[in-house]
Amino acid sequence: MVKTLNVPLVGARRHGPPPAARGSRRPGGEHWLVLVAAAFTLAQLVLVRPGMGLGWDETVYVSQVSPHTLAAFFSAPRARGVPLLVAPIASWSSSTTLLRVYLALLSGLGLFLALRVWRGLFPIRVLAPAGALFATLWVTLFYGPQAMPNYWVAIGALAGVGCFLRAQADRFDQAALWGAGLSTALMAWMRPTDAIWATLPLLVLVVAVRRWRRPRLLLALVAGLVAGAGEWIVEAYVSYGGLGQRLADGSRIQGGLGWNIAVGDQMRSLGGRVLCRPCTGAMPNPVVMVWWFVLPLLAVLGLVIAVKARRTAGTLLLLACATTAGVPYLLMIGYAAPRFLLPVYALLAIPVADALVHLVTTPSRAWRPVAVTLLALGLAGHLAVQFAVLQATVQRTTVSHRGWASTAAELHRFGVRPPCLLTGHQAVPIAFYAGCSSAATSGHNANATPSDIVRAGQREPVAVITTPAGRPPAYARDWAPHRAGDLRVYVAPGAGGGTV
């Protein structure tokens, strides 16, 4: 049976480091975590292709700090964590390849640090497979090098629970205390509401359970949430009409949060649909979905193993935080994106790896080769499915992004060059590629009126983009029509527009 250090987590008073902390400083073993993180980084660079181009949401985040384009409309649910994350590169370079390499390296480092927190709480032979399981999911590989927040919420959640356990075990462990606060701040910096859901079990324990009360740990968690979400809250009052209004707007943009079982939507997204909205159509092949059903079963087995070994605290907290982190995206939202559940997958990785290691190490010598063979075959099939979905998703996404770049080039040919303004179908990402600003008169990104757009056309090139079957708005029906690939473009007269 896999053994971990039995760290006393309640009522312990120590004047020296706990067993977990002593174990974490023992030489050897850490190189396996380095290898997992390095392999994860390399796999991103090889399989996801640094030149894939930026996606819709990425263009919004990067445009906030890029000097090469105007900032896109920043809707209520978004937070400023990603723009700050990419600023060291995006603030001076327009190279998507350089940005992808930077994010791949950073995501590998983040995975290593999050796993390292758990040294001594679980053995390396559990932590290394746990990191590998999480890192080889297609959704982890796909979003690791992207300018998106969900992977970083996952890393913050995994590190935060580990630091919480260490701080509970030893009230003198200042590093764990700081780690808990910084991990919580990272989550709130990226997505404030996700941070609340992911840390809810920790807050409940440290407030409501007498033996778990640690005032300094509570202060660290709360300070982390406030530090990470502080700018988001201030911005709510400055630009969105208050915190309540921003939360209401965010709920409306996400389809109205409330009781809505989205499990089926998430299942449909497993085949590589990066955004399933509206989430209709057939389910993917059962082979693609089987791991999703095996995952919770193995997590429960990990809990059973932990109970028998009398070391339930770590496993139980991981499962509790995974559950609360998944609640809004499985039960309260009307659409799906596979990246939403990245924190859940990261938190479940350790209990699942613990269960798998137990399955191949506890059978008798006669049955052990059979167990190892079956597990190896199962993991090989799982990896084959993950990489097949990843390859198809990367290819499809790359084609989409190249289409936006091609449309931007056509717009330049029509005389729509910076400074310029785009509105209409897919105007946000196309505007980024073209170096223009974007505007919308309706929908989630509404930030202008028709008269605003008409007036802009008197100062700079303005274009309306529609689908082939679409019709331009009334104010643009007399504008010069053009064809740009599969799209139609209507260019306003004057200010340099409308010429070829």
Side-chain angles (χ1 to χ4, degrees), residues 442-495:
S442 61
H444 306 322
N445 297 314
N447 62 345
T449 65
S451 58
D452 292 333
I453 295 173
V454 171
R455 282 196 299 270
Q458 299 170 2
R459 304 187 305 269
E460 60 186 2
V462 174
V464 174
I465 304 171
T466 71
T467 61
R471 296 181 54 134
Y475 62 82
R477 286 175 187 165
D478 295 330
W479 292 4
H482 299 276
R483 191 72 177 254
D486 294 333
L487 301 175
R488 288 189 177 276
V489 177
Y490 297 83
V491 180

Coordinates of all heavy atoms in Angstrom, one line a residue, residues 442-495:
S442 N -24.8 45.9 -29.7 CA -25.6 45.0 -29.0 C -24.8 43.8 -28.5 O -23.7 43.6 -29.0 CB -26.8 44.6 -29.8 OG -26.4 43.9 -31.0
G443 N -25.4 43.0 -27.7 CA -24.7 41.8 -27.3 C -23.8 42.0 -26.0 O -23.9 43.1 -25.4
H444 N -23.0 41.0 -25.7 CA -22.2 41.0 -24.5 C -21.1 42.1 -24.6 O -20.7 42.6 -23.5 CB -21.5 39.7 -24.3 CG -22.4 38.5 -24.3 ND1 -23.6 38.6 -23.7 CD2 -22.3 37.2 -24.8 CE1 -24.2 37.4 -23.9 NE2 -23.4 36.6 -24.5
N445 N -20.7 42.5 -25.8 CA -19.6 43.5 -25.9 C -20.1 44.8 -26.3 O -19.3 45.6 -26.8 CB -18.5 43.0 -26.9 CG -17.9 41.7 -26.4 OD1 -17.5 41.6 -25.3 ND2 -17.8 40.7 -27.3
A446 N -21.4 45.1 -26.1 CA -21.9 46.4 -26.5 C -21.2 47.6 -25.8 O -21.2 47.6 -24.6 CB -23.4 46.5 -26.2
N447 N -20.7 48.4 -26.7 CA -19.9 49.6 -26.1 C -20.1 50.8 -27.0 O -19.3 51.8 -26.8 CB -18.5 49.2 -26.0 CG -17.8 48.9 -27.3 OD1 -18.5 48.7 -28.3 ND2 -16.5 48.9 -27.3
A448 N -21.1 50.8 -27.9 CA -21.2 52.0 -28.8 C -22.7 52.0 -29.4 O -23.4 51.0 -29.2 CB -20.2 51.9 -30.0
T449 N -23.0 53.1 -30.0 CA -24.3 53.3 -30.6 C -24.1 53.4 -32.1 O -23.0 53.7 -32.6 CB -25.0 54.5 -30.1 OG1 -24.3 55.7 -30.5 CG2 -25.2 54.5 -28.6
P450 N -25.1 53.2 -32.9 CA -24.9 53.3 -34.4 C -24.4 54.7 -34.7 O -23.5 54.9 -35.6 CB -26.3 53.1 -34.9 CG -27.0 52.2 -34.0 CD -26.4 52.6 -32.6
S451 N -24.9 55.8 -34.0 CA -24.4 57.1 -34.4 C -22.9 57.3 -34.0 O -22.2 58.0 -34.7 CB -25.2 58.2 -33.6 OG -25.1 57.9 -32.2
D452 N -22.4 56.6 -33.0 CA -21.0 56.6 -32.6 C -20.2 56.0 -33.8 O -19.1 56.6 -34.1 CB -20.7 55.8 -31.4 CG -21.3 56.4 -30.1 OD1 -21.5 57.6 -30.1 OD2 -21.6 55.7 -29.2
I453 N -20.7 54.9 -34.4 CA -19.9 54.3 -35.4 C -19.9 55.2 -36.7 O -18.9 55.3 -37.4 CB -20.5 52.9 -35.7 CG1 -20.3 52.0 -34.5 CG2 -19.9 52.3 -36.9 CD1 -21.0 50.7 -34.5
V454 N -21.1 55.8 -37.0 CA -21.1 56.6 -38.2 C -20.2 57.8 -38.0 O -19.5 58.2 -39.0 CB -22.6 57.1 -38.4 CG1 -22.6 58.2 -39.5 CG2 -23.5 55.9 -38.8
R455 N -20.2 58.4 -36.8 CA -19.3 59.6 -36.6 C -17.8 59.1 -36.7 O -17.0 59.9 -37.2 CB -19.5 60.2 -35.2 CG -20.8 61.1 -35.2 CD -20.7 61.9 -33.9 NE -20.8 61.1 -32.7 CZ -21.9 60.7 -32.1 NH1 -23.1 61.1 -32.6 NH2 -21.9 60.0 -31.0
A456 N -17.5 57.9 -36.2 CA -16.1 57.4 -36.3 C -15.7 57.3 -37.8 O -14.5 57.5 -38.1 CB -16.0 56.1 -35.6
G457 N -16.7 56.9 -38.6 CA -16.4 56.8 -40.1 C -16.0 58.1 -40.7 O -15.4 58.1 -41.9
Q458 N -16.3 59.2 -40.1 CA -15.9 60.5 -40.7 C -14.4 60.9 -40.3 O -13.8 61.8 -40.9 CB -16.8 61.6 -40.2 CG -18.3 61.3 -40.6 CD -19.2 62.3 -39.9 OE1 -18.8 63.1 -39.1 NE2 -20.5 62.1 -40.1
R459 N -13.8 60.1 -39.3 CA -12.5 60.4 -38.9 C -11.5 59.3 -39.3 O -10.3 59.7 -39.4 CB -12.5 60.5 -37.3 CG -13.4 61.5 -36.7 CD -13.2 61.6 -35.2 NE -13.2 60.3 -34.5 CZ -14.4 59.8 -34.0 NH1 -15.5 60.4 -34.1 NH2 -14.3 58.6 -33.4
E460 N -11.9 58.1 -39.4 CA -11.0 57.0 -39.7 C -11.7 55.9 -40.5 O -13.0 55.9 -40.5 CB -10.5 56.4 -38.3 CG -11.6 55.9 -37.5 CD -11.1 55.4 -36.1 OE1 -9.9 55.6 -35.8 OE2 -12.0 55.0 -35.3
P461 N -11.0 55.0 -41.1 CA -11.6 53.9 -41.8 C -12.5 53.0 -40.8 O -12.0 52.6 -39.8 CB -10.4 53.1 -42.3 CG -9.3 54.0 -42.4 CD -9.5 54.9 -41.2
V462 N -13.7 52.8 -41.2 CA -14.6 52.0 -40.5 C -15.2 50.9 -41.4 O -15.6 51.2 -42.5 CB -15.7 52.8 -39.8 CG1 -16.8 51.9 -39.1 CG2 -15.1 53.8 -38.8
A463 N -15.4 49.7 -40.8 CA -16.0 48.6 -41.7 C -16.9 47.8 -40.8 O -16.7 47.6 -39.6 CB -14.9 47.7 -42.3
V464 N -18.0 47.3 -41.5 CA -18.9 46.4 -40.8 C -18.7 45.0 -41.5 O -18.6 44.9 -42.7 CB -20.4 46.8 -41.1 CG1 -21.3 45.8 -40.5 CG2 -20.6 48.2 -40.4
I465 N -18.6 44.0 -40.7 CA -18.3 42.6 -41.2 C -19.6 41.8 -41.0 O -20.2 41.8 -39.9 CB -17.2 41.9 -40.4 CG1 -15.9 42.8 -40.5 CG2 -16.9 40.5 -41.0 CD1 -14.8 42.3 -39.7
T466 N -20.0 41.1 -42.0 CA -21.2 40.2 -41.9 C -20.9 38.8 -42.5 O -19.9 38.7 -43.2 CB -22.4 40.8 -42.6 OG1 -22.2 40.7 -44.0 CG2 -22.7 42.2 -42.2
T467 N -21.7 37.9 -42.2 CA -21.6 36.6 -42.9 C -22.2 36.7 -44.3 O -22.9 37.7 -44.6 CB -22.4 35.5 -42.1 OG1 -23.8 35.9 -42.1 CG2 -21.9 35.4 -40.7
P468 N -21.9 35.8 -45.2 CA -22.5 35.9 -46.5 C -24.0 36.0 -46.6 O -24.5 36.7 -47.4 CB -22.0 34.6 -47.2 CG -20.8 34.2 -46.4 CD -21.1 34.6 -45.0
A469 N -24.7 35.4 -45.6 CA -26.1 35.5 -45.6 C -26.6 36.7 -44.8 O -27.8 37.0 -44.8 CB -26.7 34.2 -45.0
G470 N -25.7 37.3 -44.1 CA -26.1 38.4 -43.2 C -26.3 39.7 -44.0 O -25.9 39.9 -45.1
R471 N -27.0 40.7 -43.3 CA -27.3 42.0 -43.9 C -26.6 43.0 -43.1 O -26.6 42.9 -41.8 CB -28.8 42.3 -44.0 CG -29.5 41.3 -45.0 CD -31.0 41.7 -45.0 NE -31.1 43.1 -45.3 CZ -32.0 43.5 -46.2 NH1 -32.8 42.6 -46.9 NH2 -32.1 44.8 -46.5
P472 N -26.1 44.1 -43.7 CA -25.5 45.1 -42.9 C -26.5 45.9 -42.1 O -27.7 45.9 -42.5 CB -24.8 46.0 -43.9 CG -25.6 45.8 -45.1 CD -26.0 44.4 -45.1
P473 N -26.2 46.6 -41.0 CA -27.1 47.4 -40.3 C -27.6 48.6 -41.2 O -26.9 48.9 -42.2 CB -26.4 47.9 -39.1 CG -24.9 47.7 -39.5 CD -24.8 46.6 -40.4
A474 N -28.7 49.2 -40.8 CA -29.2 50.3 -41.7 C -28.3 51.4 -42.0 O -28.2 51.9 -43.1 CB -30.5 50.9 -41.0
Y475 N -27.4 51.8 -41.0 CA -26.5 52.9 -41.3 C -25.4 52.5 -42.3 O -24.7 53.4 -42.8 CB -25.9 53.4 -39.9 CG -25.1 52.3 -39.2 CD1 -23.7 52.1 -39.6 CD2 -25.6 51.6 -38.2 CE1 -23.0 51.2 -38.9 CE2 -24.8 50.7 -37.5 CZ -23.5 50.4 -37.9 OH -22.8 49.5 -37.2
A476 N -25.2 51.2 -42.6 CA -24.1 50.8 -43.4 C -24.6 50.3 -44.8 O -23.7 49.8 -45.5 CB -23.2 49.8 -42.7
R477 N -25.8 50.4 -45.1 CA -26.3 49.7 -46.3 C -25.8 50.4 -47.6 O -25.8 49.8 -48.7 CB -27.9 49.7 -46.3 CG -28.4 48.7 -45.3 CD -29.9 48.7 -45.2 NE -30.3 47.7 -44.2 CZ -31.5 47.7 -43.6 NH1 -32.4 48.6 -44.0 NH2 -31.8 46.9 -42.7
D478 N -25.4 51.7 -47.5 CA -24.9 52.4 -48.6 C -23.4 52.4 -48.7 O -22.7 53.0 -49.6 CB -25.4 53.8 -48.6 CG -26.9 53.9 -48.8 OD1 -27.4 53.0 -49.5 OD2 -27.5 54.9 -48.3
W479 N -22.7 51.7 -47.7 CA -21.3 51.6 -47.7 C -20.8 50.6 -48.8 O -21.5 49.7 -49.2 CB -20.8 51.2 -46.3 CG -21.0 52.2 -45.3 CD1 -21.7 53.4 -45.4 CD2 -20.6 52.1 -43.9 NE1 -21.7 54.0 -44.2 CE2 -21.1 53.3 -43.2 CE3 -19.9 51.2 -43.2 CZ2 -20.8 53.5 -41.9 CZ3 -19.7 51.4 -41.8 CH2 -20.1 52.6 -41.2
A480 N -19.5 50.8 -49.2 CA -18.9 50.0 -50.3 C -18.8 48.6 -49.9 O -18.1 48.2 -48.9 CB -17.5 50.6 -50.6
P481 N -19.4 47.6 -50.6 CA -19.4 46.2 -50.2 C -18.1 45.5 -50.8 O -17.7 45.9 -51.9 CB -20.6 45.6 -50.9 CG -20.9 46.5 -52.1 CD -20.4 47.9 -51.7
H482 N -17.5 44.6 -50.1 CA -16.4 43.8 -50.5 C -16.6 42.4 -50.0 O -17.3 42.1 -49.1 CB -15.1 44.4 -50.0 CG -14.8 45.8 -50.4 ND1 -14.2 46.1 -51.6 CD2 -15.1 47.0 -49.7 CE1 -14.1 47.5 -51.6 NE2 -14.6 48.0 -50.5
R483 N -15.8 41.5 -50.6 CA -15.8 40.1 -50.2 C -14.4 39.8 -49.6 O -13.4 40.1 -50.2 CB -16.0 39.2 -51.4 CG -16.3 37.7 -51.1 CD -17.7 37.6 -50.4 NE -17.9 36.2 -50.2 CZ -18.8 35.4 -50.8 NH1 -19.5 36.0 -51.9 NH2 -19.0 34.2 -50.5
A484 N -14.4 39.3 -48.4 CA -13.1 38.9 -47.8 C -13.3 37.4 -47.4 O -13.8 37.1 -46.3 CB -12.9 39.8 -46.6
G485 N -12.8 36.5 -48.2 CA -13.0 35.1 -47.9 C -14.4 34.7 -47.9 O -15.2 35.0 -48.9
D486 N -14.9 34.1 -46.8 CA -16.3 33.8 -46.6 C -17.1 34.9 -46.0 O -18.3 34.7 -45.7 CB -16.4 32.5 -45.7 CG -15.8 31.3 -46.4 OD1 -15.7 31.2 -47.6 OD2 -15.3 30.4 -45.7
L487 N -16.5 36.0 -45.8 CA -17.3 37.1 -45.2 C -17.5 38.3 -46.1 O -16.8 38.4 -47.2 CB -16.4 37.6 -44.0 CG -16.1 36.6 -42.9 CD1 -15.2 37.2 -41.8 CD2 -17.4 36.1 -42.2
R488 N -18.5 39.1 -45.8 CA -18.7 40.3 -46.5 C -18.3 41.5 -45.6 O -18.5 41.5 -44.4 CB -20.2 40.5 -46.9 CG -20.6 39.5 -48.0 CD -22.0 39.8 -48.5 NE -22.4 38.9 -49.6 CZ -22.1 39.1 -50.8 NH1 -21.4 40.2 -51.2 NH2 -22.5 38.3 -51.8
V489 N -17.7 42.5 -46.3 CA -17.2 43.7 -45.5 C -17.8 44.9 -46.2 O -17.8 45.1 -47.4 CB -15.7 43.7 -45.6 CG1 -15.2 45.0 -44.9 CG2 -15.1 42.5 -44.9
Y490 N -18.4 45.8 -45.4 CA -18.9 47.1 -45.9 C -18.1 48.2 -45.3 O -18.0 48.4 -44.0 CB -20.4 47.2 -45.4 CG -21.3 46.1 -46.0 CD1 -21.4 44.9 -45.4 CD2 -22.0 46.4 -47.2 CE1 -22.2 43.9 -46.0 CE2 -22.8 45.4 -47.8 CZ -22.8 44.2 -47.2 OH -23.6 43.2 -47.8
V491 N -17.4 49.0 -46.2 CA -16.5 50.0 -45.7 C -17.1 51.4 -45.9 O -17.7 51.7 -46.9 CB -15.2 49.9 -46.6 CG1 -14.2 51.0 -46.1 CG2 -14.6 48.5 -46.5
A492 N -17.0 52.1 -44.8 CA -17.5 53.5 -44.8 C -16.8 54.4 -45.7 O -15.5 54.3 -45.9 CB -17.5 54.1 -43.4
P493 N -17.5 55.3 -46.4 CA -16.8 56.3 -47.3 C -16.0 57.3 -46.5 O -16.4 57.6 -45.3 CB -17.9 56.9 -48.1 CG -19.1 56.8 -47.2 CD -18.9 55.5 -46.4
G494 N -15.0 57.9 -47.1 CA -14.3 59.0 -46.4 C -13.2 58.4 -45.5 O -13.1 57.2 -45.2
A495 N -12.4 59.3 -44.9 CA -11.3 59.0 -44.0 C -10.4 57.9 -44.5 O -9.9 57.1 -43.7 CB -11.9 58.6 -42.6

